[in-house]
Amino acid sequence: MSKYFVLILAFMLASTNVNATTDYAEVTAKATIEIAEVIQCPVDKISFGVITVKLNNTSSTVTIGDGQTTFTGDVISVSGEKAANCGNVDLNWNNVAVTITNEEDDALIINNFKVDSSYNIGGTLHIPPQAGAGSYTGTFMVTNIK
């Protein structure tokens, strides 16, 4: 009987069609390295100064740059404003938007940064409706890809 079992087993193995497949994936990896030079601006800061707005103000703006200050909306006055100066550096200010906050986490946005011929950096401060009182501060980074 064992002869027949071995014979049947050998016959099954010989007649079985073995199909083996191998799965594989081709993966491409990519990396881009950019070098950023750290440029320390002197103690200069962009300061929009003291801004007085009407009670229950509407959306307003203050823009500093090119040696002048302009404002829109419910801004009554602006004093002590000053553009920053980082010297003769070529930074990419396109599409830079910065959020600054006060102690209550109310937020203002600065964008539309401009650099004049003396390398003074100004921009536009956006004040939302019914802005909260307080000092707003924030730090941000601007890069220049080498």
Side-chain angles (χ1 to χ4, degrees), residues 1 5-7 17 19 21 34 38 46 59 70 74 82-83 91 95 101-102 106 110-111 125 130-131 135-136 140 146:
M1 185 76 152
F5 178 72
V6 172
L7 191 58
N17 205 0
N19 292 323
T21 63
E34 298 177 339
V38 177
I46 297 176
S59 184
T70 59
D74 285 341
K82 183 178 184 305
L91 298 174
N95 302 316
T101 57
N102 67 3
D106 297 324
I110 307 169
N111 65 1
L125 175 72
Q130 300 180 353
S135 292
Y136 290 76
F140 59 99
K146 299 260 181 191

Side-chain angles (χ1 to χ4, degrees), residues 22-144:
T22 302
D23 293 333
Y24 71 94
E26 186 174 311
V27 179
T28 301
K30 180 180 178 183
T32 301
I33 297 176
E34 298 177 339
I35 307 298
E37 177 183 356
V38 177
I39 300 166
Q40 297 291 333
C41 293
V43 290
D44 282 358
K45 305 178 216 181
I46 297 176
S47 176
F48 287 87
V50 177
I51 302 165
T52 305
V53 297
K54 295 178 185 175
L55 180 65
N56 298 320
N57 70 286
T58 60
S59 184
S60 305
T61 65
V62 175
T63 301
I64 59 174
D66 293 325
Q68 61 182 354
T69 301
T70 59
F71 46 88
T72 66
D74 285 341
V75 175
I76 297 170
S77 68
V78 178
S79 63
E81 69 277 14
K82 183 178 184 305
N85 191 307
C86 291
N88 183 6
V89 295
D90 183 23
L91 298 174
N92 182 2
W93 292 93
N94 297 332
N95 302 316
V96 174
V98 177
T99 301
I100 59 176
T101 57
N102 67 3
E103 300 82 20
E104 303 296 322
D105 279 336
D106 297 324
L108 305 178
I109 297 193
I110 307 169
N111 65 1
N112 299 324
F113 288 94
K114 302 278 188 270
V115 181
D116 67 19
S117 59
S118 298
Y119 309 109
N120 292 312
I121 304 162
T124 300
L125 175 72
H126 296 268
I127 304 167
Q130 300 180 353
S135 292
Y136 290 76
T137 59
T139 302
F140 59 99
M141 186 180 310
V142 180
T143 59
N144 179 26

